[in-house]
Amino acid sequence: MVQEKELISKIVWRLMPFLGVLYLIAYIDRQNVSYAKLEMVGALGMSEYAYGLGASLFFIGYFLFEVPSNLFLTRFGASRWFARIMISWGIVTIALAYTQNATMFYILRFLLGVCEAGFFPGVLYLLTLWFPKDYRGRMVGLFMIFSALANAVGAPVGGMLLDLDGLLGLAGWEWVFLATGVPAVLAGIVTLFYLDDTPEKAKFLTEDEKRWLHDRLARENSGMEEHADNGFKALVNPRVLLMALCYIGFPLAAYGLSYWLPTIVKGFGVSNTTNGFINIIPWVIVALALWVVPAAADRAESKTPYIVIPAFIGAASLALSAIFTNPTLQFGFLCIAAAGIFAGQPVFWSLPSRFLRGAGAAAGIAAINSVGNLGGFIAQNVVPWIRDSTGSTILPMVFLAVCLAVAGVLVIIVGRMMAARQAASD
């Protein structure tokens, strides 16, 4: 007889550390541009706004290819598609080390978004194939903890790489891209051989375990919308569109904060390496929040409070960081803000799989993430524009606070609409 907890534990240990390491590499790859900026702007003679525009073009490529990428994943399988994603983005990141001018920077950042499109929503979709719905919030939270670890690891690494300036004739910002691109290529090759596409193909599960998991997921998925014939139909699902609108504020606040936090800390008058080590602190707090909040939400019937309350706390903390001028207080509020921005996101991502499955889930999750990640494009254009216009590194935090608060309000509205629809169907 199959023991549920033992089976889930076996799957967790097989999948989550590996997927987490891949996400750690992916997130460091996204974060590298914020550290390269500290020297690259001057080296290429770019303004803060021009650099922000180039950095943000990543999200345009990401937006355009996110949904097609996730549908290709359902066709080719996770191992081959994730390997393609990682190897291609690693090559583009390495190429960024040889950027000669703004135009080349713009093109490569756009291509990076094209190459990486589909990784994060692909993993979210993969989790729906391996875990019953009662475990998905915690699994997404566990997966996203590696993004916090990436920020914690990437912060001192980014600072130390900048301080390699001149080694082997390369600038510090060139080392940042080289050292973060090579691991992606290597991890892509490993993925091709290690990752199982579905439970049915997993050699580490017994036939009884495969059958139990298949039956459990089939019961949970009965009555859901699949759109197996055309996954793009999920894009016009009203609930998908509403969730995409809600989600914009979260990556907007997240990318705005992570993009500018090293710049704010540098304003304290510290070295690049010290800057990196100081930036470990907020991401350790984020990691704790990413475990505690989703675990509590999985045990609760109503998920909305576990998304909304952290968002409002994050918005308030961002606003307070702009009000107080004491550097210690500013940094403290930004640490709390970071936890508030990220803590509710795993709970948010457990919702689409409650009404979509199959190709519909792949397309729907990708659509929500791609539209939401336009918030990153907004953040990396509007935030530097505010910075250039006002000369302040703190006023952009007010803008981020408002956007995050609006996202929280929208989640409340959508939560009530979904609850009403569920009650009507019952």
Side-chain angles (χ1 to χ4, degrees), residues 22-57:
L22 297 187
Y23 194 39
L24 185 148
I25 294 171
Y27 218 86
I28 289 178
D29 182 72
R30 290 193 186 188
Q31 186 196 40
N32 60 20
V33 73
S34 65
Y35 284 93
K37 178 180 80 72
L38 299 177
E39 291 184 358
M40 195 176 182
V41 169
L44 298 182
M46 299 168 66
S47 69
E48 292 279 0
Y49 178 78
Y51 189 86
L53 173 62
S56 68
L57 288 175

Side-chain angles (χ1 to χ4, degrees), residues 279-329:
N279 272 281
I280 292 176
I281 299 171
W283 304 112
V284 170
I285 297 172
V286 168
L288 293 173
L290 280 169
W291 177 252
V292 172
V293 174
D298 273 348
R299 294 189 292 268
E301 184 173 346
S302 176
K303 311 297 181 185
T304 303
Y306 294 92
I307 307 171
V308 172
I309 293 175
F312 286 158
I313 292 174
S317 299
L318 284 170
L320 288 170
S321 74
I323 294 172
F324 290 92
T325 57
N326 180 278
T328 303
L329 285 176

